Amino acid sequence: MTRILLLGGTTEAGAMARALAEAGLDAVYSYAGRTAAPVAQPLPTRSGGFGGIEGLAAWLRDNRVSHVIDATHPFAAGMSRNAVAACAAEGVALMALERPAWTERPGDRWRHVADYDAAAAALPNDGSAVFLAIGRQNLVPFAGLDHRWMLRFAEVAAHPLRDATLIVSRGPFTVAGDIALMRRHDIAQVVAKNAGGRAAEAKLAAARELGLPVVMISRPALPPRRLAATPEEVLDWLHGTDRGV
């Protein structure tokens, strides 16, 4: 009997949830619990952490889960690593629905760095305005730098940065809108993490149009796992018609 845990919180997870609901499959959608008002889903939902590898393994066991779909954010490395370990321990099948990373295009001025600390070190510390487009979870490395910051969160939240302007808005964003936003705030540099996807890609096209440098944080390394690019591939896997990815 197929019972599915969908680890979500992304646009791709929403599409996967709709596909599972339309297929009439028994599935639970799991939110990390970091957003006060998450988007409603067409599946039963749970919110919050599992308590590490052991807690997730126990949840899979207690709820008789047969398959896990990891459609979390590409930078949710802790959850993805826990899913690999817990599924291996419990003999649960795992598939990751992973969006492709962004790649440079002509006119881009990207500087690739390994992590948040390296991104902070790459900035000139010259008082210029920086669009710090990395969410709200990893801002501490930037707190001691001499910059004017522009932040964009999905909801109002505390942060450790001084001299920061917070824009509260949910994507998808437009290139024209992000160009206007960067001009209005006199942005000199953009810091982004290579999340991929369409919803937040506009800032990169806007930076390209304005000739702005982008400090691009690479995705974290994850253990080997089966990957899919679309919900249709995941459904094939669930129905036993997967031809390999």
Side-chain angles (χ1 to χ4, degrees):
M1 183 174 178
T2 300
R3 185 138 205 262
I4 302 156
L5 173 64
L6 173 58
L7 302 173
T10 61
T11 302
E12 291 75 18
M16 189 73 249
R18 291 189 294 273
L20 292 171
E22 289 168 5
L25 292 169
D26 182 10
V28 174
Y29 187 109
S30 179
Y31 276 111
R34 291 173 179 161
T35 302
V39 177
Q41 300 296 336
L43 297 172
T45 61
R46 67 170 301 281
S47 182
F50 291 92
I53 296 170
E54 294 79 9
L56 176 56
W59 199 95
L60 298 177
R61 185 170 58 253
D62 293 345
N63 289 275
R64 301 181 182 276
V65 171
S66 62
H67 295 73
V68 171
I69 303 168
D70 180 1
T72 57
H73 194 278
F75 280 75
M79 184 71 255
S80 293
R81 291 181 185 120
N82 288 352
V84 170
C87 286
E90 295 299 317
V92 173
L94 171 67
M95 173 78 86
L97 177 58
E98 183 176 270
R99 66 179 77 154
W102 291 317
T103 57
E104 290 179 78
R105 300 183 183 181
D108 283 332
R109 299 173 56 197
W110 290 8
R111 177 174 177 179
H112 295 274
V113 296
D115 53 31
Y116 300 100
D117 289 332
L123 293 175
N125 205 28
D126 59 0
S128 59
V130 176
F131 182 9
L132 193 54
I134 62 171
R136 67 190 194 193
Q137 301 296 322
N138 297 281
L139 298 176
V140 170
F142 303 88
L145 300 182
D146 180 22
H147 283 287
R148 290 177 290 117
W149 306 103
M150 186 179 77
L151 310 174
R152 183 162 63 188
F153 298 166
E155 60 190 17
V156 176
H159 60 80
L161 303 180
R162 57 183 174 83
D163 199 8
T165 299
L166 173 59
I167 309 296
V168 179
S169 182
R170 290 179 183 264
F173 305 104
T174 67
V175 177
D178 276 1
I179 287 174
L181 187 68
M182 292 183 197
R183 283 178 171 160
R184 185 161 61 248
H185 292 273
D186 195 27
I187 297 300
Q189 292 206 58
V190 177
V191 178
K193 52 189 182 183
N194 199 333
R198 301 296 299 274
E201 189 177 17
K203 61 180 174 285
L204 303 178
R208 185 185 312 123
E209 179 71 19
L210 296 171
L212 299 180
V214 176
V215 177
M216 182 63 71
I217 303 170
S218 299
R219 292 183 175 187
L222 294 173
R225 55 195 182 148
R226 185 178 288 267
L227 299 176
T230 66
E232 290 74 22
E233 289 181 31
V234 178
L235 289 177
D236 284 347
W237 170 69
L238 291 170
H239 290 134
T241 57
D242 177 34
R243 291 172 174 80
V245 293

